[in-house]
Amino acid sequence: MTNDREHHKSDAQNKPSAIEDRQSRLSQWPMIVALTFLWVALWQDFTPPTIVLGVVFSTLVMLLFPLPPVPFADRLNVYHSFTFIMYFLWKITVATWQVASKAVSPGPNVINSVVAVKLRTQDDLLMTLIGHVYALIPGSLVIDVDRPSSTLFLHVIDVPDEQAAEAFRVDSLDIEARMIRGFGSKRDYELIRAEDQSNEGVVRRHSELQAAEDSEEEGQTWTS
């Protein structure tokens, strides 16, 4: 009987309050903007009445068909976002030329590999955006994701050895850092700032920091 009461009490404590639920719904305004843009694009009419109808339609979709809230980042840096977009377009251009040159060159000289890239972030939205970035860059594609460790497994063209794989990992983490500087969360941005301040070239990850903290707490428990 006591266990049942404790179980119901823990469920009540873990259940989100009305204020938290309202805040999570209010934070979904970027989704309403995206749905409104999709509505206007489908109608191909950018007049004010169509935009208003798009807002109404998007709001009704969010209310009638609720999904788990998407945790949008709590910061945006216009300069770093713009530099990332320019860098992304440059990467697409270079990768397109490299893939095209390999496609027309004679002989089976291209060796493809699956490369694991362990990211810093634990944010689902940012991991999804990073995956889409690789899908748009020719020569790389995400084939699997290990969510607990924030690891992306990518099929990459022309990676013949471990040295080339490590170079791809370094480039991938640089793309992630650029995205975090532009529109990553404050929590992720603190990692990038710590890396820049230390200037040691060491990549900091939330999963590794959390594991270290857990091991320290476990050691203190055994000591006490």
Side-chain angles (χ1 to χ4, degrees), residues 105-111 158 160:
S105 60
N109 299 322
V110 178
I111 300 177
D158 197 17

Side-chain angles (χ1 to χ4, degrees), residues 46-47 51 58-59 73 83 99-100 115 146 171 186 189 210 217 219:
F46 290 87
T47 59
I51 296 175
S58 303
T59 305
T83 55
V99 172
V115 182
D146 182 32
D171 185 67
K186 294 179 181 179
Y189 185 63
Q210 184 64 38
E217 292 179 358

